[in-house]
C-alpha cells in the first residue's frame, strides 16, 4: 500500500549507472551488510530488519535484489541502497516492482 508521499514499498527506483547487471533475487545470508537510503554507513542487514520492525518469521524470506557483484541494492519492501538512489534521472532509472504471482 502507498505510504507517506505516495511511496509504494513494492516499487523501487534505482539509478541505472549505479548498478552492475545482471540483477538477481536471493534471501539473506549470514554477514549481509547494507547501507539504507539516508543512513550514514553500512550496517548488518539483521539489525536493519529488526529496526524496521520486520517480523522475525519474515526476516528469513524477505527478498533481496542484488547486482552482479552480489551487492544488495534493494531490501524489498524495506529500503533501497544509498549508493543506488536516483540522483540524475536523465541518465537512466531502473524501476523494479514486486508482483504477487499467487493470484
Amino acid at each position: 500500500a502507498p505510504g507517506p508521499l505516495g511511496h509504494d514499498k513494492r516499487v523501487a527506483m534505482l539509478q541505472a549507472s549505479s548498478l552492475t547487471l545482471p540483477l538477481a533475487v536471493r534471501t539473506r545470508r549470514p554477514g549481509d551488510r547494507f547501507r539504507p537510503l539516508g543512513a550514514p554507513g553500512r550496517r548488518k542487514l539483521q539489525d536493519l530488519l529488526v529496526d524496521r520492525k520486520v517480523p522475525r518469521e519474515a526476516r528469513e524470506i524477505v527478498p533481496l535484489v542484488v547486482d552482479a557483484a552480489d551487492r544488495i541494492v534493494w531490501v524489498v519492501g524495506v529500503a533501497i541502497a544509498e549508493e543506488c538512489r536516483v540522483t540524475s534521472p536523465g541518465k537512466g532509472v531502473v524501476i523494479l516492482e514486486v508482483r504477487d504471482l499467487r493470484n
Side-chain angles (χ1 to χ4, degrees):
L5 304 175
H7 179 68
D8 187 333
K9 291 179 183 268
R10 295 167 303 183
V11 176
M13 296 178 64
L14 309 172
Q15 186 71 56
S17 59
S18 71
L19 304 171
T20 306
L21 299 178
L23 300 180
V25 178
R26 67 170 174 84
T27 53
R28 74 184 181 122
R29 296 179 185 143
D32 272 341
R33 297 182 77 77
F34 176 72
R35 182 178 178 194
L37 183 66
R42 291 166 56 83
R43 53 195 303 219
K44 290 181 183 172
L45 181 59
Q46 164 72 17
D47 294 345
L48 173 73
L49 296 174
V50 171
D51 289 352
R52 298 286 176 96
K53 308 214 179 335
V54 174
R56 182 183 304 271
E57 61 278 5
R59 290 180 210 149
E60 293 302 322
I61 58 171
V62 65
L64 307 175
V65 178
V66 297
D67 70 1
D70 200 41
R71 180 178 55 131
I72 300 169
V73 299
W74 184 27
V75 179
V76 176
V78 179
I80 66 167
E82 170 66 31
E83 58 268 27
C84 298
R85 70 186 172 92
V86 176
T87 54
S88 303
K91 292 184 178 176
V93 174
V94 172
I95 299 173
L96 303 177
E97 180 181 6
V98 176
R99 293 192 179 156
D100 187 343
L101 301 177
R102 294 173 293 185
N103 298 355

